[in-house]
Amino acid sequence: MNFIQKKPALLLVDIQKGFENEEHWGGNRNNKDAELKCSLLLEKWRNLGLPVFHIMHGSQDPDSPLHPSKPGFELQDLIKPNPKEPVIVKDVNSAFIGTNLEQKLREKEISTLVIAGLTTNHCISTTTRMAGNLDFETFLISDATATFDRIGLNGEKFNAELIHQTALASLNGEFATVLNTDDLLSKLDSN
């Protein structure tokens, strides 16, 4: 069975305007064109008529840029959903907890997922781990995800690219197959 025949669903996770405020999240974001890569994936999925799910983080913290009452809750313009594409709002890191995502995927007999969005070490990692544990064949797109610098337990600063790469390394081969956008598009084009 080729990749398109698997009817892979594209999960676009937390590509919200609130992440445009880099300093709030730790600064020094890597993969500055991750949203552009996500938009390329979205365009390809739409052209092939494959299922797309938009995941949004509705923070419970009223001071968070991702709180539903804030302008940052809104999805970024590059990946606005069309009326046929479900939008699922979560309030924890996993897109599967407290949502009907798994039910919707099972109803459509979807067993293959492609995950992209923000941020690599938080909602992307948690959603990818759960997808793998729920026995979905999962692909994570390395250059269509991004993160920010983090401060360690002893006050040391960890570079966003290091955080990104170690998160990907922890997921690859155990919970997902990590590919870049070009590799994934080649898989779709070779069918």
Side-chain angles (χ1 to χ4, degrees), residues 6-11 51-55 86 88 95-96 99-115 127 130-131 134-138:
K6 293 180 181 188
K7 289 195 273 188
L10 177 62
L11 302 187
V52 175
F53 292 81
H54 297 266
I55 313 298
I88 294 173
F96 293 98
T99 72
N100 63 354
L101 175 60
E102 182 182 6
Q103 176 188 341
K104 285 181 174 288
L105 294 169
R106 302 285 186 209
E107 285 171 358
K108 293 180 182 250
E109 299 181 350
I110 293 168
S111 61
T112 303
L113 303 178
V114 172
I115 298 176
T127 298
M130 282 205 68
L134 291 169
D135 208 28
F136 289 97
E137 182 182 18
T138 305

Side-chain angles (χ1 to χ4, degrees), residues 67-125:
H67 188 272
S69 68
K70 305 280 184 175
F73 177 72
E74 188 179 340
L75 289 169
Q76 293 185 26
D77 294 337
L78 273 175
I79 57 89
K80 290 283 189 191
N82 71 33
K84 295 178 186 176
E85 296 166 353
V87 176
I88 294 173
V89 178
K90 61 182 180 54
D91 61 12
V92 295
N93 296 94
S94 173
F96 293 98
I97 299 288
T99 72
N100 63 354
L101 175 60
E102 182 182 6
Q103 176 188 341
K104 285 181 174 288
L105 294 169
R106 302 285 186 209
E107 285 171 358
K108 293 180 182 250
E109 299 181 350
I110 293 168
S111 61
T112 303
L113 303 178
V114 172
I115 298 176
L118 303 170
T119 62
T120 317
N121 54 313
H122 290 114
C123 297
I124 295 298
S125 180

